[in-house]
């Protein structure tokens, strides 16, 4: 008897996803079957859906996922990344990528940049390769996926965001070196920005200055620990930022204007970390003389490494209820209403829209 599973296929921009129901394939060596419980729609899912970025199609979108182990293949170690035994029924999170350390291009600091990376929510569906995205009842985790077991009482919607937004925010602050006692300016108060604010607050930053063009987002940032807000739509925003001695600038906005202002207002020996600009846009200007005279450092981060993933899991387990993370999933839908969820997310632009997936027992 085979278990039936469902996934939703993205074929082309702004076109409703189509439902596919089929039996789950047998697991290959080292694989693990997860029953998805919750998927949040990340900004990059929406960019793909709207045609602002290209993925090989047909594909299954969704990579901010949390789920429960339904089966382990015989070749799987049976352990999570901390060496804890994995059991059927365990709630788990996992890296958005599977990265084979035996590949010649593998660099332990940046496993997310390995060749032949297997990236969930970003793959073309083929006869041999499916169940790799979050808009589905099930996902098959491939060998070399880093897994962590989560507490059973964790908020599922918040837990779903760990393996993209939260881990990426953790990576940004790792690259920013120590933020303890530093004045940090964070631009862009989407989920990445808000998580970064809460992390700065928990990890001992001095002033946490946030900027955005949306006054509601700035207000929201205060509940995550922002000490000062700067409305980038206001003409005096440059002067306001210049009143601080800013040590770190983290850009989550992807806006060239915000990045240029962030560089300009960075203090002596400051460090900027760029994360948000992962879509097509105009080039960002840098005043090389200022970079030299102020001895600035500018770094880029794409996705995250294992250290960041661990930091993200621990951060949400410890602080997930201390800040209003759950309120950021502004509306949730059952998986069967995925097209309504996409419509809502692209029209209303919430911080996140969520999809909950109830366990199925249907078999053929
Ligand atoms: Zn994402």
């Amino acid at each position: 008897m085979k278990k039936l599973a469902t996934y939703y296929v993205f074929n082309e921009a702004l076109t409703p996803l189509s439902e596919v129901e089929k039996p789950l394939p047998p697991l290959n060596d080292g694989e693990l079957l997860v029953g998805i419980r919750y998927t949040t729609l990340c900004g990059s899912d929406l960019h793909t859906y709207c045609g602002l970025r290209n993925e090989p199609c047909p594909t299954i979108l969704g990579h901010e996922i949390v789920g429960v182990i339904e089966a382990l293949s015989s070749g799987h170690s049976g352990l999570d990344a901390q060496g804890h035994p994995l059991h059927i029924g365990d709630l788990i999170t996992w890296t958005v990528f599977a990265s084979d350390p035996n590949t010649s291009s593998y660099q332990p600091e940046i496993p997310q940049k390995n060749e032949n990376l297997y990236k969930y929510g970003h793959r073309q569906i083929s006869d041999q390769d499916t169940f790799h995205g979050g808009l589905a009842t099930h996902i098959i985790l491939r060998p070399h996926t880093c897994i962590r077991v989560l507490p059973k009482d964790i908020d599922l919607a918040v837990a779903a965001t760990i393996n993209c937004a939260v881990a990426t925010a953790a990576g940004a602050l790792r690259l920013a070196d120590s933020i303890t006692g530093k004045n940090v300016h964070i631009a862009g108060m989407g989920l990445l920005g808000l998580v970064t604010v809460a992390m700065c607050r928990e990890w001992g930053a001095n002033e946490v200055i946030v900027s955005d063009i949306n006054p509601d987002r700035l207000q929201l940032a205060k509940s995550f620990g922002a000490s000062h807000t700067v409305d980038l739509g206001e003409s005096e925003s440059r002067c306001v930022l210049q009143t601080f001695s800013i040590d770190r600038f983290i850009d989550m906005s992807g806006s060239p204007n915000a990045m240029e202002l962030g560089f300009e207002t960075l203090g002596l020996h400051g460090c900027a970390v760029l994360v948000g600009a992962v879509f097509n846009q105009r080039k960002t200007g840098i005043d090389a003389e200022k970079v030299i005279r102020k001895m600035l450092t500018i770094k880029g981060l794409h996705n995250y490494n294992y250290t960041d993933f661990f930091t993200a899991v621990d951060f949400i387990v410890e602080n997930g209820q201390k800040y209003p993370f759950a309120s950021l999933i502004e509306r949730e839908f059952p998986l069967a209403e995925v097209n309504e969820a996409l419509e809502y997310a692209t029209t209303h632009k919430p911080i996140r829209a969520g999809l909950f997936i109830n366990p199925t027992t249907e078999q053929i």
Side-chain angles (χ1 to χ4, degrees), residues 155-199:
D155 184 301
L156 291 177
V158 176
T161 66
I162 290 174
N163 75 345
C164 183
V166 183
T168 307
L173 290 182
R174 172 177 56 82
L175 288 185
D177 296 328
S178 172
I179 53 159
T180 308
K182 306 289 188 197
N183 292 338
V184 186
H185 168 205
I186 305 155
M189 288 298 108
L191 184 54
L192 279 161
L194 294 166
V195 172
T196 309
V197 172
M199 286 175 168

Side-chain angles (χ1 to χ4, degrees), residues 277-309:
V278 280
F279 47 89
N280 216 349
Q281 57 183 292
R282 75 161 173 88
K283 287 187 176 165
T284 299
I286 293 172
D287 183 335
E289 186 183 355
K290 277 190 183 162
V291 172
I292 294 163
R293 292 193 187 279
K294 289 204 278 183
M295 298 181 70
L296 305 182
T297 305
I298 300 171
K299 301 179 184 179
L301 173 71
H302 188 217
N303 296 142
Y304 54 84
N305 69 17
Y306 299 126
T307 303
D308 307 325
F309 175 63

Side-chain angles (χ1 to χ4, degrees), residues 40-45 63-64 96 122 163-165 168 303 352:
T40 39
L41 294 175
C42 174
S44 62
D45 293 319
H63 52 273
E64 286 188 346
V96 72
H122 297 272
N163 75 345
C164 183
T168 307
N303 296 142
R352 282 291 183 274

Side-chain angles (χ1 to χ4, degrees), residues 56-236:
C57 290
T59 187
I60 308 169
L61 296 174
H63 52 273
E64 286 188 346
I65 317 169
V66 70
V68 166
I69 299 176
E70 290 196 5
L72 291 136
S73 65
S74 54
H76 197 279
S77 70
L79 302 172
D80 82 350
Q82 290 186 306
H84 297 139
L86 295 169
H87 307 285
I88 307 292
D90 280 349
L91 182 69
I92 58 168
T93 178
W94 56 90
T95 46
V96 72
F97 55 84
S99 181
D100 183 353
N102 301 312
T103 309
S104 61
S105 64
Y106 185 78
Q107 297 184 53
E109 275 293 295
I110 48 168
Q112 75 271 34
K113 287 289 161 188
N114 201 0
E115 277 174 19
N116 305 320
L117 203 67
Y118 194 100
K119 209 166 166 192
Y120 301 106
H122 297 272
R123 289 188 72 81
Q124 190 165 31
I125 298 169
S126 69
D127 287 344
Q128 282 75 40
D129 188 22
T130 186
F131 292 106
H132 39 53
L135 300 181
T137 57
H138 292 79
I139 187 165
I140 296 171
L141 301 190
R142 271 62 181 185
H144 311 297
T145 303
C146 183
I147 296 169
R148 284 279 303 266
V149 176
L150 294 170
K152 285 206 177 345
D153 61 351
I154 197 167
D155 184 301
L156 291 177
V158 176
T161 66
I162 290 174
N163 75 345
C164 183
V166 183
T168 307
L173 290 182
R174 172 177 56 82
L175 288 185
D177 296 328
S178 172
I179 53 159
T180 308
K182 306 289 188 197
N183 292 338
V184 186
H185 168 205
I186 305 155
M189 288 298 108
L191 184 54
L192 279 161
L194 294 166
V195 172
T196 309
V197 172
M199 286 175 168
C200 283
R201 191 42 71 217
E202 288 301 313
W203 298 340
N206 182 34
E207 304 291 1
V208 182
I209 304 128
V210 302
S211 62
D212 200 293
I213 50 171
N214 181 335
D216 293 338
R217 293 282 179 95
L218 291 172
Q219 193 60 31
L220 186 57
K222 288 184 184 170
S223 58
F224 285 83
S227 53
H228 303 274
T229 61
V230 179
D231 187 337
L232 295 176
E234 307 267 336
S235 55
E236 68 267 25

